[in-house]
Amino acid sequence: MRKTVRIAQDGACPGDFMLRNVNCPHVMLGQEFPRVAFRGHFHSLPKLMEKASSSHASHGNHKENSPFLNSSEAGKGGDYYDRNLALFEEELDIRPKVSSLLGKLVNYTNLTQGVKEHEEAESTDGSKKKVSKSPSMGTLMGVYLPCMQNIFGVILFLRLTWMVGMAGVLQSFLIVLLCCCCTMLTTISMSAIATNGVVPAGGSYFMISRSLGPEFGGAVGLCFYLGTTFAGAMYILGAIEILLTYIVPQAAIFHPSGAHDASSAMLNNMRVYGTVFLILMAVVVFVGVKYVNKFASLFLACVVISILSIYAGAIKSIFDPPVFPICMLGNRTLSRDQFDVCAKTIVKDNVTVASKLWELFCHSTNLTTENCDEYFLMNNVSEIAGIPGAASGILKDNLWSNYLEKGEILEKAHHPSVDVAGQKNNLHLYVLSDIATSFMVLVGIFFPSVTGIMAGSNRSGDLKDAQKSIPVGTILAIVTTSLVYFSCVLLFGACIEGVVLRDKYGDAVNRNLVVGTLSWPSPWVIVIGSFFSTCGAGLQSLTGAPRLLQAIAKDNIIPFLWVFGHGKANGEPTWALLLTALIAELGILIASLDMVAPILSMFFLMCYLFVNLACAVQTLLRTPNWRPRFKYYHWALSFLGMSICLALMFISSWYYALVAMLIAGMIYKYIEYQGAEKEWGDGIRGLSLSAARYALLRLEEGPPHTKNWRPQLLVLLKLDEDLHVKYPRLLTFASQLKAGKGLTIIGSVIQGNFLETYGEAQAAEQTIKNMMDIEKVKGFCQVVVANKVREGIAHLIQSCGLGGMKHNTVVLGWPYGWRQSEDPRSWKTFIGTVRCTTAAHLALLVPKNVSFYPSNHERYNEGNIDVWWIVHDGGMLMLLPFLLKQHKVWRKCKMRIFTVAQMDDNSIQMKKDLATFLYQLRIEAEVEVVEMHNSDISAYTYERTLMMEQRSQMLRQMRLTKTEREREAQLVKDRHSVARLESLYSDEEDETEPVPENIQMTWTKEKCDAEKRNRGSAVGSFRDLISIKPNQSNVRRMHTAVKLNEVIVNRSHDARLVLLNMPGPPKNTDGDENYMEFLEVLTEGLERVLLVRGGGREVITIYS
């Protein structure tokens, strides 16, 4: 029959059990106490109260303080005495609550150049910092349009028609395809790297240096810097070429003194005007970048309008082609700017007189032929249409290549002519090829017109969602520009006469820009548009290059560049701008667009090559930090992109390629040697030994960066008497966690003397190796012989591994049956090992119920891996499920992350912050914040604590025989025997209790009678046991364990695996056994639990 207790009308609390404070506010008058559920059995709170009250009454009914925490006590310690996290309170200063951590982590965005490395330098100037605006640029404005502006450039307007004329439509298609494939594959690799964490401004330099290390990063960063600087020089040269050739030719300072020095005069003009332009642009950049950014959209509009005018002109040419006649002498193309009438003679006042053309070839104004050029006399002068139009069928003539040597005359194939030698001094009257052309030369000249794909990643700090915008925007920009290039190649081949296409400077069409002749409504649209767009591109290059140099200088990997890390008060890189202008001046002194283009092609190709290499290496190594949000990449694509880059370097200019590689190699070696003297090993006695030694020495230099951290396991195995592995599933779990990567050491301890048990140790080692082969664990085995197991484990933890190849995580089995064992060594060894790992700053994994863990042959096709993130100790809880999911057993499981919110936490904001944090970690998981209210400590909690302390004291104080100790400990512990315990040791109930018939322990009536006879002597000591008042700290910890267990079982009872923060052992060793009980209570009712304890360092990062 169920008993009820009613509170007396005067409001006094029953016994000494106050539920919250002295006034018992939670107990109403006449209220019935609830019963406490405990694993299917019910125990009433009143019984416990009555029992305790009676025991207190027998001792004089003295007043005691409440065993429960009241509100004033709970408030004293703040976070450290949070009732729901009492198990973790001793370490909250080094392992903060998740709620306090998330508030700091969520502010990760808007980091300036160089991320954490530069934060220390900036913090000294914190008073001057302005509040940074939140990033707001989308894919269109932040990535797509900047990439379009950087990709479209001077080559499209000045050299694409000439390339189509020389290479023909088919080979031009091949050139464009090669270059666009190179950039597309590089973009795929870049997208993977850029979405693998937060990439601040710094673009390719930051990505490569963080992926391949400072040596590669510095070398490639400087290559990219030099490429961007020479790109600025190329754009300036293009602008000057447009200005002096097509806009104001009369502005030339140097004029040709003879017929053959026209090119040298032009080069000198380019040098003078180029230097002036460079100085003007550098001043604009120095005065303020905001002006450059303001005009960026204007410059882009110029490019778009110019391209649209080409398409409009091509469509118009179908039915109304523009009139640009070309004068041909035989099959040779004449330079039209030196005469006006395309005829040998003209009729003037009914009289046939010599034309200007006759005067130029015959050196006389009359029609005498003594001094005439023989080719001029033998061939007719004719006019053909420069722009026949898209409907003319000229495409079939322009399909094939027509490469020329330097100084060769442009000729129209199949045009009637008499092949005789002409006078060499008349060559200036023809349109000549100014450089020798080939497929390789054209690749080098065209490639700069597909660069500019890094514009989006350089702006990642300004993007609202960089991990989405960078891949989408950049790939769309490449697809758009590639379509434009392919269509332009086709339109130029279909609309323009071949000799006009091969005419680089438009001499045959009266010094008009060749692409301008096709445009509609006027050639000036493209001339003016291309001039402004090249000026804008030059400004963008002079803006970006100094910032890149500043980023490299601030990283301090190349010591002599440190001065370029400084700038104006607002951060503008003044010294870097000065160096950039000086290097750009070198490009301008070259003065030839066709010579500068291959140089910057080399540097960009070198940069793209290493972007592909970085992606391929990261993919093949499968580092735990490699989790790009962009999924459409593959190491084979990266290697293909790398191969194309390398091929293009040597195709376009093998000597430039060697020079670029030499520069990059020298920078690499300089950075490497600047760090420290490296041991290379002799390499003669075995390459493998040398490589291993070199790698170990490199690892010895310092702890690994957070990105490179992966669990290097020391698995502590227990062997039975026959030297068989007791829990082989520990090895299975290790193999699933490692997936064949990283270091795994299997350690075991044999108790005894080393001299006597050496053979036994060898046999044990062989057994473990056989089991490792069965479980497919790739690693090393180490068996230690020690007098005490605890000492052996301590030796393993201290001495396993070699150099930098040491374990950082210990996997330890749970001591099953510790409650039933009379020998306390098993759980004392366990707690000692936990303390050792903490002292050694190692992570600890304790798989509980490991025999229920799946084998390597099982597959979970559904289910959850639940992470209960209670305190933050380095991010191990995030990393472990990700690593497990790499294995086929766990691959299809979903990850859920639960964190605990207290009463004073904003759970909605915590959930948002946690979701944002996981998004930046590139980990896909469901997020849930569980609210734990400050409920009263339940009677069940008090009862569990009481039983725990009774058992501990009983085993500690009573000198019983082995049989008696087992019986009494089991009697106190057994959850089914609480009622029996009351009847056995109560002063009030004696003869009325029936003989127990069905109880877990083996009881007989004789034993029961003997027990009653011995009760008199035992009753005094057991009265002391029953009257134990639990320690407040233990009650608080038990409350945490019970509450957390209740919440975890409620949410994760059907999870495939539950990962949980493992509380640290108490600082006072007297409470060790209680600590084991807390862990048991915390994990009750869960099939597979992995207790995780961090090693005191961060193991996961949001950064690339």
Side-chain angles (χ1 to χ4, degrees):
M1 183 176 173
R2 183 174 174 182
K3 295 183 183 179
T4 62
V5 177
R6 296 187 178 274
I7 307 299
Q9 296 296 320
D10 60 0
C13 294
D16 290 322
F17 294 88
M18 295 179 244
L19 293 177
R20 183 72 178 172
N21 54 28
V22 228
N23 298 319
C24 301
H26 297 291
V27 182
M28 304 302 293
L29 293 178
Q31 179 182 344
E32 184 176 326
F33 280 90
R35 292 166 71 84
V36 183
F38 181 73
R39 284 283 180 116
H41 300 274
F42 288 84
H43 308 284
S44 62
L45 180 59
K47 277 190 181 181
L48 189 62
M49 290 185 168
E50 288 169 2
K51 174 186 68 180
S53 301
S54 61
S55 66
H56 290 325
S58 65
H59 286 279
N61 229 357
H62 58 277
K63 182 79 174 176
E64 291 187 328
N65 292 329
S66 164
F68 300 113
L69 284 178
N70 60 31
S71 54
S72 61
E73 287 173 82
K76 282 178 189 173
D79 284 349
Y80 291 84
Y81 289 94
D82 194 313
R83 184 185 299 162
N84 290 328
L85 295 181
L87 267 180
F88 304 92
E89 67 188 17
E90 289 186 346
E91 295 175 304
L92 278 176
D93 53 340
I94 54 170
R95 300 170 198 263
K97 287 196 300 181
V98 175
S99 56
S100 60
L101 174 87
L102 282 174
K104 299 171 189 173
L105 283 177
V106 76
N107 298 319
Y108 64 90
T109 49
N110 271 347
L111 289 177
T112 53
Q113 176 68 51
V115 246
K116 283 188 173 178
E117 291 85 346
H118 297 327
E119 284 184 343
E120 292 82 6
E122 289 173 3
S123 62
T124 58
D125 197 27
S127 57
K128 298 180 182 177
K129 280 188 185 177
K130 295 178 182 177
V131 179
S132 56
K133 288 189 284 187
S134 61
S136 58
M137 298 182 84
T139 305
L140 182 69
M141 295 301 293
V143 181
Y144 180 71
L145 293 180
C147 283
M148 291 270 286
Q149 185 180 355
N150 278 265
I151 293 171
F152 284 135
V154 64
I155 303 293
L156 171 64
F157 303 115
L158 294 185
R159 293 293 181 267
L160 190 58
T161 51
W162 173 73
M163 186 187 87
V164 174
M166 291 293 180
V169 172
L170 295 180
Q171 287 194 24
S172 296
F173 268 137
L174 182 59
I175 292 171
V176 174
L177 183 66
L178 263 177
C179 296
C180 290
C181 280
C182 175
T183 52
M184 178 60 84
L185 291 170
T186 304
T187 300
I188 291 170
S189 299
M190 184 197 76
S191 298
I193 298 172
T195 58
N196 187 49
V198 180
V199 179
S204 60
Y205 161 68
F206 184 86
M207 289 189 287
I208 295 168
S209 63
R210 272 54 178 179
S211 298
L212 292 180
E215 294 92 352
F216 278 114
V220 179
L222 280 183
C223 282
F224 190 52
Y225 163 73
L226 291 172
T228 310
T229 305
F230 274 104
M234 184 189 76
Y235 290 129
I236 291 171
L237 289 174
I240 303 304
E241 185 178 308
I242 294 168
L243 182 73
L244 294 182
T245 310
Y246 308 114
I247 300 178
V248 279
Q250 59 273 23
I253 300 170
F254 300 94
H255 299 280
S257 54
H260 301 289
D261 62 348
S263 61
S264 60
M266 183 63 181
L267 292 178
N268 287 328
N269 285 321
M270 300 274 276
R271 290 180 181 117
V272 173
Y273 276 98
T275 305
V276 173
F277 263 56
L278 177 62
I279 293 169
L280 286 173
M281 288 184 176
V283 168
V284 169
V285 172
F286 177 76
V287 168
V289 182
K290 57 183 178 181
Y291 301 114
V292 180
N293 293 333
K294 278 181 182 176
F295 289 111
S297 53
L298 175 66
F299 297 138
L300 180 62
C302 291
V303 176
V304 173
I305 291 169
S306 301
I307 292 170
L308 290 177
S309 72
I310 296 173
Y311 287 118
I315 294 168
K316 180 178 175 290
S317 73
I318 298 172
F319 48 86
D320 184 16
V323 179
F324 282 99
I326 305 166
C327 193
M328 306 291 294
L329 178 61
N331 64 351
R332 295 179 180 179
T333 311
L334 294 172
S335 181
R336 194 61 187 262
D337 63 333
Q338 303 185 45
F339 58 91
D340 49 358
V341 179
C342 183
K344 291 184 179 182
T345 59
I346 54 172
V347 177
K348 200 174 186 180
D349 299 330
N350 292 328
V351 178
T352 302
V353 295
S355 65
K356 178 67 174 174
L357 198 58
W358 186 284
E359 292 177 19
L360 291 169
F361 277 98
C362 296
H363 310 291
S364 67
T365 53
N366 53 28
L367 295 173
T368 57
T369 59
E370 291 85 1
N371 298 321
C372 280
D373 188 305
E374 187 180 1
Y375 188 87
F376 178 74
L377 289 175
M378 299 294 290
N379 286 282
N380 295 322
V381 173
S382 60
E383 270 192 342
I384 60 171
I387 313 289
S392 63
I394 195 75
L395 178 63
K396 65 178 182 295
D397 296 332
N398 292 330
L399 281 177
W400 312 108
S401 61
N402 197 343
Y403 297 116
L404 301 174
E405 293 298 319
K406 183 177 180 180
E408 203 172 330
I409 300 169
L410 268 62
E411 296 178 346
K412 179 172 171 59
H414 312 302
H415 203 67
S417 67
V418 178
D419 191 15
V420 293
Q423 296 175 4
K424 284 189 176 181
N425 58 356
N426 288 328
L427 285 175
H428 66 282
L429 300 173
Y430 301 106
V431 180
L432 306 174
S433 171
D434 63 334
I435 61 168
T437 53
S438 66
F439 181 81
M440 298 181 177
V441 169
L442 294 181
V443 168
I445 291 173
F446 177 74
F447 188 79
S449 64
V450 295
T451 59
I453 60 173
M454 299 288 184
S457 62
N458 289 345
R459 294 165 181 254
S460 61
D462 300 325
L463 298 172
K464 192 185 298 180
D465 186 358
Q467 302 197 354
K468 177 185 172 188
S469 296
I470 289 175
V472 174
T474 311
I475 290 172
L476 280 178
I478 289 180
V479 170
T480 307
T481 50
S482 302
L483 290 175
V484 169
Y485 285 135
F486 281 121
S487 59
C488 282
V489 167
L490 190 64
L491 290 176
F492 294 158
C495 299
I496 305 176
E497 173 59 51
V499 288
V500 180
L501 286 173
R502 289 189 286 280
D503 183 4
K504 186 186 287 183
Y505 300 109
D507 293 325
V509 285
N510 207 14
R511 304 290 281 184
N512 272 301
L513 182 61
V514 174
V515 70
T517 59
L518 180 62
S519 65
W520 178 88
S522 164
W524 285 102
V525 174
I526 285 209
V527 171
I528 301 298
S530 60
F531 176 74
F532 280 115
S533 70
T534 46
C535 286
L539 279 170
Q540 293 280 0
S541 296
L542 289 178
T543 305
R547 277 157 183 72
L548 182 57
L549 182 62
Q550 187 182 39
I552 299 170
K554 278 189 174 181
D555 268 355
N556 202 27
I557 56 173
I558 305 175
F560 66 80
L561 289 180
W562 67 270
V563 69
F564 300 110
H566 305 295
K568 292 195 290 187
N570 62 353
E572 290 296 315
T574 312
W575 293 106
L577 176 63
L578 186 63
L579 180 67
T580 302
L582 290 174
I583 296 173
E585 178 62 21
L586 294 177
I588 283 168
L589 291 177
I590 295 172
S592 168
L593 190 68
D594 303 321
M595 294 290 284
V596 174
I599 295 175
L600 68 101
S601 292
M602 286 307 122
F603 290 126
F604 277 122
L605 280 166
M606 179 79 75
C607 174
Y608 295 167
L609 185 147
F610 280 105
V611 170
N612 284 303
L613 176 65
C615 181
V617 167
Q618 295 270 43
T619 308
L620 289 174
L621 287 181
R622 294 181 187 172
T623 52
N625 190 58
W626 182 245
R627 302 184 297 276
R629 288 208 166 273
F630 182 77
K631 301 296 182 189
Y632 306 102
Y633 68 94
H634 193 270
W635 63 266
L637 292 177
S638 299
F639 270 115
L640 181 60
M642 199 169 69
S643 306
I644 293 176
C645 288
L646 196 62
L648 287 176
M649 286 174 72
F650 283 94
I651 284 172
S652 54
S653 178
W654 63 268
Y655 44 89
Y656 278 161
L658 291 177
V659 169
M661 287 180 163
L662 183 65
I663 291 172
M666 287 168 63
I667 297 167
Y668 178 93
K669 297 307 289 182
Y670 175 78
I671 296 171
E672 187 180 54
Y673 283 119
Q674 199 61 34
E677 282 293 318
K678 300 292 187 297
E679 276 289 351
W680 292 95
D682 53 20
I684 298 167
R685 286 187 268 171
L687 189 60
S688 299
L689 178 64
S690 179
R693 177 171 177 264
Y694 175 69
L696 282 170
L697 289 172
R698 286 292 299 271
L699 285 172
E700 189 72 8
E701 289 174 5
H705 190 272
T706 303
K707 289 186 305 181
N708 295 326
W709 195 96
R710 64 169 83 220
Q712 315 285 18
L713 300 181
L714 169 60
V715 183
L716 296 175
L717 281 188
K718 190 173 183 180
L719 303 178
D720 59 19
E721 294 79 13
D722 299 323
L723 298 182
H724 294 141
V725 177
K726 203 165 185 182
Y727 302 113
R729 283 292 163 88
L730 272 178
L731 290 175
T732 313
F733 172 71
S735 71
Q736 291 168 6
L737 185 62
K738 299 303 291 180
K741 301 287 179 184
L743 176 71
T744 306
I745 301 172
I746 311 298
S748 189
V749 179
I750 292 179
Q751 197 168 356
N753 188 312
F754 176 72
L755 298 176
E756 297 169 0
T757 54
Y758 176 74
E760 194 174 329
Q762 292 290 316
E765 193 167 320
Q766 192 56 49
T767 303
I768 293 173
K769 283 181 179 175
N770 294 338
M771 186 58 71
M772 287 169 69
D773 290 339
I774 293 168
E775 296 296 343
K776 296 184 172 60
V777 177
K778 296 177 182 176
F780 309 96
C781 174
Q782 191 160 352
V783 176
V784 169
V785 178
N787 290 326
K788 294 181 181 177
V789 174
R790 287 169 69 179
E791 287 179 4
I793 289 175
H795 293 157
L796 281 173
I797 289 173
Q798 290 176 71
S799 59
C800 272
L802 176 64
M805 285 292 283
K806 290 183 74 71
H807 57 278
N808 54 28
T809 305
V810 176
V811 179
L812 179 62
W814 179 259
Y816 301 101
W818 67 272
R819 280 170 167 161
Q820 288 75 28
S821 173
E822 77 283 2
D823 188 356
R825 282 181 298 180
S826 63
W827 57 263
K828 283 187 175 178
T829 302
F830 175 82
I831 297 178
T833 308
V834 175
R835 288 200 171 100
C836 280
T837 55
T838 306
H841 299 291
L842 301 175
L844 177 66
L845 307 180
V846 181
K848 198 160 179 279
N849 304 329
V850 75
S851 55
F852 294 122
Y853 277 49
S855 71
N856 285 327
H857 305 294
E858 293 178 52
R859 298 283 187 285
Y860 285 148
N861 293 322
E862 56 183 7
N864 299 311
I865 298 177
D866 285 1
V867 175
W868 283 85
W869 192 22
I870 299 161
V871 293
H872 178 68
D873 57 357
M876 280 282 286
L877 285 170
M878 307 292 138
L879 191 62
L880 292 172
F882 172 79
L883 294 175
L884 279 174
K885 284 184 65 174
Q886 307 302 304
H887 196 274
K888 56 191 176 185
V889 172
W890 305 92
R891 189 165 292 148
K892 293 186 179 177
C893 289
K894 291 181 180 176
M895 185 173 162
R896 297 191 302 184
I897 295 185
F898 298 84
T899 190
V900 173
Q902 305 303 314
M903 285 293 287
D904 54 347
D905 292 329
N906 182 344
S907 58
I908 298 172
Q909 187 60 42
M910 273 181 72
K911 185 169 183 177
K912 286 182 183 174
D913 293 348
L914 183 55
T916 308
F917 181 49
L918 289 176
Y919 179 83
Q920 292 304 326
L921 287 174
R922 290 90 62 205
I923 289 177
E924 293 177 7
E926 291 178 31
V927 174
E928 197 164 333
V929 175
V930 179
E931 294 186 356
M932 286 185 68
H933 303 293
N934 288 334
S935 60
D936 297 317
I937 292 174
S938 65
Y940 168 65
T941 302
Y942 188 82
E943 187 175 358
R944 282 299 293 262
T945 315
L946 194 63
M947 286 197 301
M948 174 184 77
E949 295 199 358
Q950 285 172 345
R951 179 183 184 278
S952 298
Q953 188 159 329
M954 184 188 298
L955 290 179
R956 206 165 37 238
Q957 293 179 351
M958 297 181 68
R959 304 289 184 186
L960 301 175
T961 63
K962 179 180 175 182
T963 315
E964 288 173 330
R965 190 185 301 136
E966 280 179 3
R967 181 169 61 83
E968 297 290 353
Q970 181 63 27
L971 181 64
V972 174
K973 176 67 196 82
D974 192 32
R975 300 187 191 102
H976 300 277
S977 305
V978 177
R980 173 68 185 160
L981 189 64
E982 292 175 14
S983 67
L984 281 175
Y985 303 114
S986 166
D987 290 335
E988 298 166 0
E989 303 177 25
D990 39 357
E991 280 81 33
T992 58
E993 191 69 18
V995 175
E997 295 291 339
N998 185 16
I999 198 162
Q1000 277 195 343
M1001 293 182 66
T1002 308
W1003 286 81
T1004 62
K1005 291 186 179 182
E1006 291 78 14
K1007 282 185 179 180
C1008 191
D1009 293 334
E1011 174 60 38
K1012 286 183 178 180
R1013 284 194 298 273
N1014 293 332
R1015 193 175 55 193
S1017 60
V1019 74
S1021 61
F1022 274 100
R1023 185 182 293 115
D1024 291 338
L1025 276 180
I1026 296 298
S1027 64
I1028 288 175
K1029 187 174 80 64
N1031 180 283
Q1032 288 185 10
S1033 175
N1034 285 343
V1035 173
R1036 198 169 59 232
R1037 285 176 165 82
M1038 183 64 80
H1039 179 71
T1040 298
V1042 169
K1043 289 284 288 181
L1044 279 176
N1045 178 256
E1046 181 181 318
V1047 172
I1048 294 170
V1049 170
N1050 183 34
R1051 302 295 181 96
S1052 302
H1053 58 90
D1054 58 349
R1056 298 294 188 186
L1057 179 65
V1058 176
L1059 283 86
L1060 181 63
N1061 286 113
M1062 181 178 181
K1067 292 175 182 174
N1068 184 0
T1069 55
D1070 291 341
D1072 280 0
E1073 192 173 8
N1074 297 340
Y1075 171 69
M1076 295 298 296
E1077 187 69 29
F1078 294 141
L1079 293 183
E1080 287 282 8
V1081 172
L1082 189 62
T1083 55
E1084 264 182 356
L1086 298 170
E1087 188 179 14
R1088 282 178 288 271
V1089 187
L1090 180 62
L1091 293 169
V1092 180
R1093 187 163 168 76
R1097 63 159 293 169
E1098 290 294 324
V1099 302
I1100 198 164
T1101 175
I1102 63 173
Y1103 300 111
S1104 172

